[in-house]
Amino acid sequence: MRIFSGIQPTGEIHIGNYLGAIKQWIEFQEGNDCIYCIVDLHALTSDYDPETMRDSIMNKAIVYLAAGIDPEKSTIFVQSEVKEHTELCWYLNTLTPIGELERMTQYKEKSKRKKKRSNAGLLNYPILMAADILLYDTEVVPVGEDQKQHIELARDIAKRFNKRFGETFKVPKAQLPKKGARIMSLKNPKNKMSKSGKKGNAVSLFDDPKTIEEKIKSAVTDTDNKISYDPKDKPGISNLLVIYSEFKDQTIEESEKELKGESYKVFKEKLTEVLIESLDPFRKKRRELEKRREVYVEEILSQGAKKAKTLASSNIARVKRKMGLV
Ligand code: ATP
Ligand code: LTN
């Protein structure tokens, strides 16, 4: 199967990104044709610093590799290095009703936060995302829950194109993990854990042991000191249980049984220990890759872009033919 997914270069990758998206990416590498993209053009829709953008892009490539994406098995590339993404985005713009874009939850939230500083890129963001996906005949898109609505839109756009111009695009499917599709903020478990959220809301994939300990210690819980999974009434503890179970590779029921009768203090100590142990290899691998940044990582991205470009340009040629442009 063709698998495609992407993450923006800005912000620190956290355990929500890992459990929601990257962990699935790694699993899909066996026996599938995977393309993983650093979506820098999407990041331009938020406030960013041009001085540090290229560095953030390189850092994200290192994160992909440190987390376990194998360049021998998967294609890794930077979105802006394959111009066909913006070209297809334009064609798809002409097929997308504005009302559908205005209904997107992420757009509503982000534009509300930005008020007058909201930009057209933010509205068109899901069309560029649809272009990313459709450009590679993608069948499966592994993402966290917050991206499900965008993939629904990509499916609608693909179907609309096929209906208007004849069978062209595969209609992609979102793939969410069973658990961990929506890891919540440690500070406010009603909100999702997020790169752009409040400080301490997220454990970064590369946090050192002391930082992990502090963040888990100050994670919001509740007052009844009972460890059980009940997202509605006990959102904080339930979120910690999901994280614990995922990193221990056991079911929530197994974790509940293991922790029965323990205090929140002991639970948090156990969770801290599991996180430190699980994240340690990522930190080590990243340190190694930092040293090979210039040659090795640049080469992977350049090879990746070449491969992506070959696929993208033949697909664009097909789209242009169907649309009557050539
Ligand atoms: P931002 O705060 O800038 O929106 P983010 O933390 O939401 O960033 P993205 O780059 O938008 O991160 O998401 C990358 C991938 O991680 C997507 O597939 C997304 O669905 C997934 N993801 C993001 N946050 C979570 C979360 N809290 N739980 C599970 N998956 C998540
Ligand atoms: N919007 C996504 C990032 C993204 C993406 C994609 C994910 C851009 N293009 C294509 C999957 C497939 C996000 O996580 N914020």
Side-chain angles (χ1 to χ4, degrees), residues 34 46 59 98 129 187 221 252:
C34 299
S46 303
N59 286 340
I98 296 167
M129 183 163 159
K187 291 282 176 204
T221 53
I252 291 177

Side-chain angles (χ1 to χ4, degrees), residues 5-8 10 14 16-21 25 106 110 125 142-147 180-184 192-197:
S5 197
I7 291 188
Q8 300 188 45
T10 39
H14 50 74
N17 300 134
Y18 177 72
L19 297 178
W25 297 9
Q106 188 178 297
K110 288 201 173 168
Y125 179 112
V143 282
E145 207 233 14
D146 61 320
Q147 295 303 313
R182 191 174 176 81
I183 300 295
M184 308 312 279
K192 104 180 166 83
M193 184 176 282
S194 152
K195 288 196 229 133
S196 51

Side-chain angles (χ1 to χ4, degrees), residues 6 39 52 78 126 138 150 181 209 217 252 268 274 283 293:
V39 291
T52 55
V78 180
T138 303
H150 287 161
K217 220 181 228 169
I252 291 177
K268 282 186 167 183
V274 167
R283 250 196 340 273
R293 187 184 181 94

